[in-house]
Amino acid sequence: MQTATTEQAPTELKLSGNRKAVYMLMQQQQRALSAYEIIDLLRPQIGRIIHPMLVYRCLDFLLEKQLVVKLVSVNKFVALPNDLTEPGQCLICEICQAVTFSASSNPLQQQKRKIAATGFKLNQQPVEFHGICASCQKDHTE
Amino acid sequence: MQTATTEQAPTELKLSGNRKAVYMLMQQQQRALSAYEIIDLLRPQIGRIIHPMLVYRCLDFLLEKQLVVKLVSVNKFVALPNDLTEPGQCLICEICQAVTFSASSNPLQQQKRKIAATGFKLNQQPVEFHGICASCQKDHTE
DNA sequence: TCGTGATATGTTATATTATCACAATTCGTG
DNA sequence: CACGAATTGTGATAATATAACATATCACGA
């Protein structure tokens, strides 16, 4: 099993074999994936049985390094877009499962400041909004 | 198995036996409960094996009628406080699991309007914020 | 280069949350 | 009362996640 320096991760973070495979897969897919989807997608690449634990461990690491983010409402994981240093919010379509990230807008930052003022210490994790995207609204008006 | 008219539900909605038991339990507990916690708490009352399916069905119904809300990030369900017609947001403490609801504040409503203006049709469900409550911050500064 | 502690990985088992599908019972209305 | 709709009972399975033990690999200092 080779150890390779990753070309994709910021600040030259070294990723071991498995972790790199998982991360690159997530970057390629460009969508939110459940752990089991990752397992299924990885299987052809690795040519060996993939235990869930393998993937969860990799994800734990990638989460810790903030290379990926977990969408806690849908139990999916997604590689952070490279141009987005702070995923303040995301919109999750219930129909097509598309996920759209964006940085915190002013009202959301205001909201977070209000919450902080109550003494509640917020985590750094995107605020998740659920609904139906414009495309699916069109598709489902028939 | 008796059919009883519920005294607690708004607009005289009739709840069947199981559904009433689940709903009343949730109201009594006044905290967010996982389905399995509900099962464990119900067992003494019902005196029969409780299948998860029973509870999930009841929850599905109660969710549909908007008597309870699901905290999707923590897979828990909570009876809506009676004085809160619109649970706009909730704060979830990662340490003690306390959940605090409140109506949408102005910035959050603003945020929702911005999102709606993009064409994304938001669901009616609370926005969940994660962090550490003031109490747990005190307890954990030792 | 070797040894060792730290880290990563392999493996088995289990926990937690949720849904599917079929059957039986109860409810409500004509 | 009959019948269709709704509710419930039951067994099985799916999806997500973690615990625990063992082994292998990596990195660093001597």
Side-chain angles (χ1 to χ4, degrees), chain A residues 43-80:
Chain A
R43 199 170 274 128
Q45 292 185 34
I46 292 202
R48 177 177 24 100
I49 293 189
I50 306 198
H51 290 273
M53 196 71 230
L54 183 155
V55 167
Y56 280 110
R57 282 205 193 109
C58 294
L59 288 171
D60 285 345
F61 179 84
L62 296 171
L63 283 167
E64 187 196 314
K65 301 302 176 194
Q66 297 184 352
L67 297 181
V68 306
V69 72
K70 180 175 184 183
L71 303 179
V72 293
S73 59
V74 290
N75 294 313
K76 295 193 180 212
F77 303 83
V78 61
L80 278 176

Side-chain angles (χ1 to χ4, degrees), chain A residues 89 94 105 111 119 123 137, chain B residues 89 94 105 111 119 123 137:
Chain A
Q89 67 175 54
E94 295 187 327
S105 58
Q111 179 63 20
N123 278 352
Q137 283 177 69
Chain B
Q89 67 177 50
E94 296 187 328
S105 58
Q111 178 63 20
N123 279 353
Q137 282 177 70

Side-chain angles (χ1 to χ4, degrees), chain B residues 55-126:
Chain B
V55 168
Y56 281 109
R57 281 203 193 113
C58 293
L59 289 170
D60 285 345
F61 179 84
L62 296 172
L63 283 167
E64 187 195 319
K65 302 300 175 192
Q66 297 184 352
L67 298 181
V68 306
V69 71
K70 179 176 183 181
L71 304 179
V72 292
S73 59
V74 290
N75 295 311
K76 292 191 182 216
F77 303 84
V78 62
L80 278 176
N82 282 334
D83 58 342
L84 194 58
T85 51
E86 187 245 342
Q89 67 177 50
C90 63
L91 307 185
I92 302 170
C93 177
E94 296 187 328
I95 296 180
C96 66
Q97 309 297 322
V99 177
T100 311
F101 284 100
S102 54
S104 293
S105 58
N106 279 337
L108 189 55
Q109 286 177 350
Q110 232 179 348
Q111 178 63 20
K112 288 183 174 179
R113 280 195 293 268
K114 277 180 68 108
I115 292 169
T118 68
F120 192 88
K121 182 173 157 107
L122 282 166
N123 279 353
Q124 288 283 77
Q125 86 191 45

Side-chain angles (χ1 to χ4, degrees), chain A residues 106-120 122:
Chain A
N106 278 337
L108 189 54
Q109 286 176 351
Q110 232 179 351
Q111 179 63 20
K112 288 184 175 179
R113 280 194 293 271
K114 278 181 69 108
I115 291 169
T118 69
F120 191 88
L122 281 165

Side-chain angles (χ1 to χ4, degrees), chain B residues 19-36:
Chain B
R19 290 172 181 171
K20 184 179 175 186
V22 169
Y23 184 56
M24 287 183 67
L25 173 77
M26 293 173 75
Q27 284 190 309
Q28 282 157 21
Q29 290 292 324
Q30 287 292 316
R31 61 183 171 105
L33 300 165
S34 72
Y36 281 78

Side-chain angles (χ1 to χ4, degrees), chain A residues 5-129:
Chain A
T5 306
T6 181
E7 299 158 85
Q8 307 289 347
T11 68
E12 306 303 322
L13 178 66
K14 281 181 185 278
L15 292 179
S16 64
N18 285 347
R19 289 171 182 170
K20 185 180 176 188
V22 169
Y23 184 57
M24 287 183 67
L25 173 77
M26 291 173 77
Q27 284 191 310
Q28 284 157 17
Q29 291 292 322
Q30 287 291 316
R31 62 184 172 105
L33 300 166
S34 72
Y36 282 78
E37 282 174 281
I38 293 170
I39 290 167
D40 289 342
L41 289 165
L42 262 184
R43 199 170 274 128
Q45 292 185 34
I46 292 202
R48 177 177 24 100
I49 293 189
I50 306 198
H51 290 273
M53 196 71 230
L54 183 155
V55 167
Y56 280 110
R57 282 205 193 109
C58 294
L59 288 171
D60 285 345
F61 179 84
L62 296 171
L63 283 167
E64 187 196 314
K65 301 302 176 194
Q66 297 184 352
L67 297 181
V68 306
V69 72
K70 180 175 184 183
L71 303 179
V72 293
S73 59
V74 290
N75 294 313
K76 295 193 180 212
F77 303 83
V78 61
L80 278 176
N82 282 332
D83 58 342
L84 194 55
T85 53
E86 186 245 344
Q89 67 175 54
C90 63
L91 307 185
I92 303 170
C93 177
E94 295 187 327
I95 297 180
C96 66
Q97 308 296 323
V99 177
T100 310
F101 284 101
S102 54
S104 291
S105 58
N106 278 337
L108 189 54
Q109 286 176 351
Q110 232 179 351
Q111 179 63 20
K112 288 184 175 179
R113 280 194 293 271
K114 278 181 69 108
I115 291 169
T118 69
F120 191 88
K121 184 176 151 116
L122 281 165
N123 278 352
Q124 288 284 78
Q125 83 190 47
V127 179
E128 299 173 21
F129 293 95

